[in-house]
């Protein structure tokens, strides 16, 4: 081949993929959701940031520091609520809340309520993930439908789901169905938008390559589009989980409906119990958040950077 | 014209279908859009001409609610961006704060309303505090994320030229984190709207949320819901316009012309 081009004789041809193709695919999927994602990742600097790496403490210390931070924050809270300032007089210190929490964790009713909330939450997030993903795929693949739906979506999306609570109660009665329906409605939008965004950000060179090799459409979807979009969609689901939990708990304690965590927070009129419930809700949120990040890192290793590793 | 038709046909179609379905169903829970519109006019546009026909409720409920959302969101934005930039640029501080921030973000802010109710009593202060507390985390964490992931080459060049710190912040760090900051601001704004309603429903004597919970008349309830939708749409739209203007440079990076459409 090279002999046919005498002018190139002896010169080292700069081969196109400087990086092996597999690596190209992997790197280009690293494109963050925001940031300068117009430039494919493999053209951006991928050199490790040595200066910042030096600043980073060794792994051991880096792991201890967040714990120290939490402890300092708790101490500040303790000091504030024991200081006797007028604002803090009604705020129970963390030591009292901790005792209340331990008591609560031994109560069957509380555990059942928490389990019920967690189950409703799981259902809502799964529903939102499936519906949002499918809707995103449908809108993202038919430009005409997307253009037409833009206005409807833009109008319905900002509507806070909690505004629908009074109506939902009168229509569906205050039970788990209403709570799940509202949480799903609230959580569907981040998934939908993440899917649409991810479809727009699929590296064109991957699609062109697939088309050049006449890869059948269903395989393109399964082997190119889904792997490329999944990390971003999962980020959308992460946000959706947060929003679903907010609207689920709001529904629960505004309606006094299903006997969940939100209702417990509403009906225990002692601040320490309320705060203990808040801590449990926070731990629940944290658990789900961590779970999604672990899934992202283990099952979609190419998404590691996006997860904010 | 054609783009207008293309963008609006589905919306108008939905509206007509809604009107048709509700008038056919005759369900008292689902009034027709026309009834809702009439009720909305009755609620908010029945005031004297000297006040542009706006009724008392506009001044007693709608404007205060809007003020709470915007005030709470603005405070959250200032706090979130300031702290986020510091945390994002300092790896040590980042390490220390990570645990606290992860937990604070995970706490659904709506459940804090009862706590704030006890600590701060009923009133605007409680609503604004709730909004600030809920909206600050997405803004803070996104800003920190944006500030953290600035191209090291850029920061090295800035150091090489010994750019003063304030110029470094205003001209390098903030613009580089800009897209992320706006992403956080958007999420924060929608959370601010949710919390405004929850806070007013639970512990308010006025405001949109209070009216939503207190007004038992179904067409009025629908009218309030539509109003919340319109307000949220307008405010998020305004934010999108600002973002579009501010981040113009960000999109200026040329797009590849022959980008194939996905799934064809």
């Amino acid at each position: 081949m090279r002999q046919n081009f005498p002018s190139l004789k002896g010169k080292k041809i700069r081969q196109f993929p400087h990086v092996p193709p597999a690596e190209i695919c992997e790197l280009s999927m690293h494109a963050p959701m925001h940031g300068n994602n117009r430039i494919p990742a493999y053209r951006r600097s991928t050199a490790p940031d040595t200066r910042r790496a030096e600043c980073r403490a060794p792994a051991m210390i880096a792991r201890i520091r967040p714990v120290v931070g939490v402890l300092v924050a708790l101490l500040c809270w303790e000091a504030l609520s024991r200081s006797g300032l007028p604002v803090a007089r009604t705020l129970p210190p963390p030591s009292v809340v901790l005792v209340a929490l331990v008591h609560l964790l031994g109560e069957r009713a509380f555990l059942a309520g928490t389990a019920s909330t967690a189950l409703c939450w799981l259902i809502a997030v799964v529903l939102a993930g499936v519906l949002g993903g499918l809707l995103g795929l449908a809108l993202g693949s038919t430009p005409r439908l997307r253009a037409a739906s833009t206005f409807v979506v833009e109008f319905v999306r900002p509507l806070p789901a909690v505004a629908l609570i009074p109506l939902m109660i009168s229509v569906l009665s205050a039970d788990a169905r209403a709570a799940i329906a509202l949480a799903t409605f609230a959580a569907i939008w981040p998934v939908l938008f993440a899917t649409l965004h991810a479809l727009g950000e699929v590296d064109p060179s991957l699609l062109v390559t697939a088309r050049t090799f006449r890869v059948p459409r269903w395989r393109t979807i399964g082997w190119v589009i889904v792997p490329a979009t999944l990390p971003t969609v999962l980020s959308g689901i992460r946000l959706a989980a947060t929003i679903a939990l907010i609207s689920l708990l709001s529904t629960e304690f505004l309606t006094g409906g299903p006997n969940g965590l939100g209702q417990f927070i509403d009906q225990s009129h002692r601040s320490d119990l309320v705060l203990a419930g808040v801590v449990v809700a926070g731990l629940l949120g944290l658990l789900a958040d961590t779970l999604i990040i672990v899934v992202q890192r283990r099952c979609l290793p190419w998404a590691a950077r996006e997860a904010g590793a | 014209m054609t783009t207008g038709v293309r963008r609006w046909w589905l919306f108008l179609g939905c509206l007509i279908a809604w009107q048709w379905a509700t008038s056919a169903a005759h369900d008292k829970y689902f009034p027709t859009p026309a009834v809702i519109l009439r009720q909305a006019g009755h609620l908010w546009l029945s005031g004297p001409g000297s006040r542009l026909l706006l009724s008392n409720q506009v001044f007693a409920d709608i404007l205060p609610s809007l003020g709470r959302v915007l005030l709470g969101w603005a405070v959250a934005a200032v706090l979130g961006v300031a702290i986020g930039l510091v945390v994002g640029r300092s790896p040590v501080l980042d390490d220390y704060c990570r645990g606290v921030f992860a937990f604070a973000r995970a706490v659904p802010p709506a459940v804090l309303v009862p706590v704030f109710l006890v600590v701060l009593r009923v009133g605007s202060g409680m609503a604004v505090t709730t909004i600030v507390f809920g909206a600050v985390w997405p803004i803070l964490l996104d800003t920190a994320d944006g500030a953290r992931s600035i191209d090291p080459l850029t920061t090295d060049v800035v150091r090489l030229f010994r750019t003063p710190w304030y110029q470094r912040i205003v001209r390098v760090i903030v613009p580089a984190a800009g897209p992320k900051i706006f992403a956080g601001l958007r999420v924060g704004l929608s959370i601010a709207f949710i919390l405004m309603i929850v806070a007013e429903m639970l512990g308010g004597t006025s405001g949109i949320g209070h009216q939503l919970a207190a007004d038992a008349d179904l067409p009025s309830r629908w009218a309030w819901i539509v109003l919340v939708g319109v307000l949220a749409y307008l405010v998020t739209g305004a934010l999108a316009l600002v973002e579009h203007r501010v981040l113009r440079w960000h999109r200026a990076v040329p797009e590849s012309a022959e980008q194939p459409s996905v799934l064809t």
Side-chain angles (χ1 to χ4, degrees):
Chain A
M1 185 73 181
R2 200 177 280 195
Q3 297 90 306
N4 299 342
F5 300 97
S7 62
L8 290 176
K9 209 169 219 174
K11 284 185 187 160
K12 196 179 174 202
I13 296 180
R14 217 167 149 239
Q15 288 177 335
F16 166 56
H18 317 285
V19 214
E23 238 176 293
I24 290 186
C25 304
E26 212 176 295
L27 285 176
S28 55
M29 280 162 199
H30 277 162
M33 248 178 106
H34 312 284
N36 49 352
N37 37 19
R38 296 276 178 239
I39 309 166
Y42 59 82
R43 268 196 262 152
R44 258 181 275 146
S45 154
T46 49
D49 186 348
T50 46
R51 191 170 50 73
R52 287 181 71 80
E54 282 160 20
C55 291
R56 285 254 178 233
M60 183 61 180
I61 295 180
R63 211 163 280 175
I64 289 174
R65 275 176 179 167
V67 181
V68 174
V70 172
L71 288 179
V72 169
L74 284 177
L75 280 178
C76 287
W77 174 11
E78 182 91 35
L80 180 74
S81 52
R82 292 201 184 276
S83 66
L85 288 175
V87 183
R89 197 167 298 149
T90 40
L91 191 72
S95 49
V96 175
V97 173
L98 194 69
V99 172
L101 184 64
V102 171
H103 268 289
L104 279 183
L105 289 181
E107 262 182 49
R108 283 185 69 90
F110 177 78
L111 290 179
T114 310
S116 137
T117 299
L119 197 64
C120 287
W121 187 28
L122 185 69
I123 296 172
V125 172
V126 168
L127 272 179
V130 171
L131 291 178
L134 288 179
L135 204 60
L137 212 59
L139 292 186
S141 52
T142 40
R144 197 175 267 189
L145 197 62
R146 186 174 178 177
S149 67
T150 306
F151 192 79
V152 180
V153 168
E154 287 301 314
F155 190 77
V156 180
R157 178 183 63 135
L159 179 70
V162 285
L164 297 173
I165 290 174
L167 189 76
M168 272 296 195
I169 300 166
S170 46
V171 176
L172 275 181
S173 81
D175 58 4
R177 277 179 311 167
I180 292 175
L182 279 172
T184 310
F185 172 79
I188 219 168
W189 307 111
V191 185
L192 174 63
F193 282 91
T195 313
L196 283 177
H197 180 88
L199 285 175
E201 292 291 318
V202 176
D203 190 346
S205 59
L206 294 177
L207 297 173
V208 170
T209 311
R211 208 186 286 171
T212 309
F213 283 106
R214 302 195 178 216
V215 179
R217 199 180 143 151
W218 58 271
R219 282 196 68 181
T220 313
I221 294 180
W223 290 92
V224 180
I225 291 169
V226 169
T229 52
L230 216 50
T232 311
V233 174
L234 217 53
S235 298
I237 291 180
R238 212 175 132 201
L239 187 59
T242 312
I243 291 179
L245 189 61
I246 294 180
S247 61
L248 191 62
L249 288 173
S250 320
T251 318
E252 280 179 359
F253 74 54
L254 282 173
T255 61
N259 42 358
L261 190 56
Q263 209 208 358
F264 168 82
I265 291 173
D266 180 43
Q267 296 192 341
S268 61
H269 293 290
R270 277 168 49 193
S271 312
D272 54 339
L273 289 182
V274 170
L275 276 175
V278 169
V279 169
V280 171
L283 288 177
L284 215 59
L286 200 60
L287 190 74
D289 213 42
T290 320
L291 206 69
I292 294 178
I293 292 181
V294 168
V295 168
Q296 222 165 13
R297 220 172 276 174
R298 284 282 159 80
C299 309
L300 316 166
W302 62 89
R305 228 173 66 182
E306 216 168 326
Chain B
M1 186 62 214
T2 45
T3 54
V5 170
R6 215 174 291 156
R7 291 194 54 171
W8 285 81
W9 67 263
L10 194 63
F11 179 70
L12 291 176
C14 285
L15 212 57
I16 292 168
W18 184 13
Q19 169 79 34
W20 176 79
T22 46
S23 61
H26 260 307
D27 193 317
K28 70 170 173 143
Y29 291 121
F30 294 96
T32 63
V35 171
I36 295 170
L37 206 64
R38 205 175 311 132
Q39 186 68 22
H42 177 70
L43 277 175
W44 306 308
L45 294 176
S46 55
S50 60
R51 287 193 314 204
L52 299 168
L53 296 177
L54 298 173
S55 69
N56 278 334
Q57 271 189 323
V58 176
F59 295 96
D61 292 316
I62 301 175
L63 291 181
S65 282
L66 212 52
R68 281 169 205 147
V69 168
L70 293 180
L71 179 66
W73 177 72
V75 173
V78 171
L79 285 177
V81 170
I83 302 175
L85 286 179
V86 173
V87 171
R89 293 312 300 166
S90 153
V92 176
L93 213 61
D94 192 19
D95 275 345
Y96 279 120
C97 296
R98 199 181 308 144
V100 180
F101 287 170
F103 182 73
R105 192 186 85 135
V107 170
V111 298
L112 284 169
V113 173
V115 181
F116 288 133
L117 258 180
V118 174
V119 177
L120 296 171
R121 309 264 177 269
V122 173
S124 279
M126 189 274 294
V128 173
T129 312
T130 314
I131 293 171
V132 171
F133 200 88
V136 77
W137 302 113
I139 302 174
L140 195 162
L141 290 167
D142 272 359
T143 307
D145 209 19
R148 201 180 296 131
S149 53
I150 294 174
D151 188 358
L153 192 66
T154 315
T155 52
D156 284 350
V157 168
V158 168
R159 271 210 311 176
L160 199 65
F161 282 118
R162 304 190 182 215
T163 316
W165 62 271
Y166 54 89
Q167 281 203 353
R168 206 183 311 169
I169 293 175
V170 174
R171 313 194 71 162
V172 180
I173 298 177
V174 171
K180 275 278 188 184
I181 294 177
F182 269 103
L185 287 177
R186 247 181 289 134
V187 177
L189 190 58
S190 55
I191 288 182
F193 262 97
I194 294 177
L195 290 178
M196 177 268 282
I197 291 172
V198 174
E200 288 178 351
M201 272 184 182
L202 276 178
T205 47
S206 69
I208 297 174
H210 177 70
Q211 293 297 335
L212 258 174
D215 217 335
D217 180 35
L218 277 161
S220 303
R221 212 165 243 189
W222 275 94
W224 282 108
I225 291 173
V226 172
L227 177 80
V228 171
V230 171
L231 285 181
Y233 174 71
L234 290 179
V235 176
T236 37
L239 181 64
L241 276 183
V242 173
E243 181 180 355
H244 190 81
R245 181 94 182 76
V246 173
L247 295 184
R248 190 181 284 164
W249 62 272
H250 177 60
R251 286 182 317 277
V253 183
E255 264 177 272
S256 58
E258 76 286 42
Q259 186 160 3
S261 123
V262 180
L263 294 174
T264 42

